[in-house]
């Protein structure tokens, strides 16, 4: 028997990412875990309206999404803990400008540059709808087809109810493989 626990957001864990944006002429970083896929060429980043980074995203209309791995976690957690309005976070990560002009973290082995195409505002959140313009991946994390291999890239996951970071696990099986014994008659 399942217990009704109320209207709780229970779609976690999600990948932890650091959003990079230029704010007032400087790179600024923000840890974000409210990330969603809304198509093969679009993602959504939900960021509380109080965040300083939102100003830069709105002004420039672009941002970078830097996938966090364990070697970056301390710095990523830090940029999610302090406000760019009070602390200069531009030096926390070594970075360069991507082809679309966003700050791209050198240590992030998978980075997506995006153009903001819309902002769906709710009471407390800016929900930036973003078109993917460029994706940068270190060759060491690509499979033989040139796609990111998440057995090589180990993104940190964020779990909301407990406010914890999790490690990614191993592969269970390939998708879309009918006849492998998982059907309704098994």
């Amino acid at each position: 028997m399942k217990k009704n626990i109320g209207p709780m957001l229970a779609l976690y864990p999600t990948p932890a990412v650091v959003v990079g944006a230029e704010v007032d002429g400087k790179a600024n970083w923000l840890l974000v875990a409210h990330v969603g896929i809304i198509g093969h060429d679009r993602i959504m980043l939900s960021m509380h309206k109080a965040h300083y980074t939102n100003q830069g995203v709105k002004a420039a209309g672009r941002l970078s999404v830097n996938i966090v791995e364990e070697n970056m976690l301390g710095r990523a957690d830090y940029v999610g803990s302090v406000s760019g309005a009070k602390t200069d976070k531009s030096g926390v990560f070594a970075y360069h400008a991507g082809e679309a002009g966003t700050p791209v973290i050198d240590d992030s082995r998978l980075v997506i540059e995006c153009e903001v195409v819309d902002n769906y505002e709710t009471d407390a959140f800016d929900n930036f709808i973003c078109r993917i313009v460029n994706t940068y991946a270190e060759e060491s994390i690509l499979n033989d087809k040139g796609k990111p291999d998440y057995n090589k890239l180990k993104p940190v996951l964020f779990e909301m109810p407990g406010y914890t970071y999790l490690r990614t696990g191993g592969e269970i099986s390939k998708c879309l493989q009918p006849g492998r014994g998982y059907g309704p008659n098994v």
Side-chain angles (χ1 to χ4, degrees):
M1 185 77 175
K2 292 179 185 73
K3 177 181 178 183
N4 182 347
I5 58 173
M8 179 184 290
L9 179 55
L11 290 177
Y12 285 91
T14 59
V17 302
V18 171
V19 168
E22 188 174 300
V23 186
D24 294 330
K26 288 185 183 178
N28 192 68
W29 312 107
L30 176 66
L31 179 66
V32 174
H34 295 44
V35 181
I37 298 168
I38 60 170
H40 287 198
D41 64 342
R42 301 249 191 300
I43 61 173
M44 183 189 70
L45 297 160
S46 185
M47 298 162 49
H48 196 277
K49 286 184 177 184
H51 288 305
Y52 178 73
T53 307
N54 296 30
Q55 296 171 31
V57 171
K58 289 176 181 178
R62 62 183 184 244
L63 54 85
S64 66
V65 177
N66 302 268
I67 304 297
V68 175
E69 291 183 273
E70 282 190 54
N71 67 320
M72 301 169 55
L73 186 55
R75 292 171 290 160
D77 192 60
Y78 171 77
V79 300
S81 302
V82 298
S83 172
K86 298 176 183 171
T87 303
D88 180 359
K89 298 188 277 183
S90 63
V92 173
F93 295 102
Y95 69 94
H96 65 278
E99 292 176 27
T102 69
V104 170
I105 296 175
D106 294 343
D107 286 344
S108 182
R109 297 193 301 164
L110 183 62
V111 180
I112 303 168
E113 269 191 307
C114 297
E115 168 191 38
V116 176
V117 295
D118 201 358
N119 180 7
Y120 178 79
E121 293 187 51
T122 59
D123 292 339
F125 285 85
D126 284 315
N127 298 283
F128 296 110
I129 310 299
C130 301
R131 182 177 66 82
I132 298 169
V133 219
N134 297 305
T135 302
Y136 307 103
E138 282 190 10
E139 287 192 43
S140 64
I141 64 152
L142 299 178
N143 66 19
D144 58 353
K145 295 178 180 162
K147 307 285 184 192
D149 181 338
Y150 289 90
N151 289 308
K152 295 176 183 176
L153 178 73
K154 301 281 188 189
V156 169
L157 302 177
F158 172 77
E159 176 269 320
M160 176 67 136
Y163 265 71
T164 56
Y165 297 112
L166 306 172
R167 288 186 177 95
T168 52
E171 181 178 302
I172 297 169
S173 72
K174 298 290 183 198
C175 297
L176 305 173
Q177 303 288 316
R180 67 176 149 199
Y182 292 131
N185 297 325
V186 173

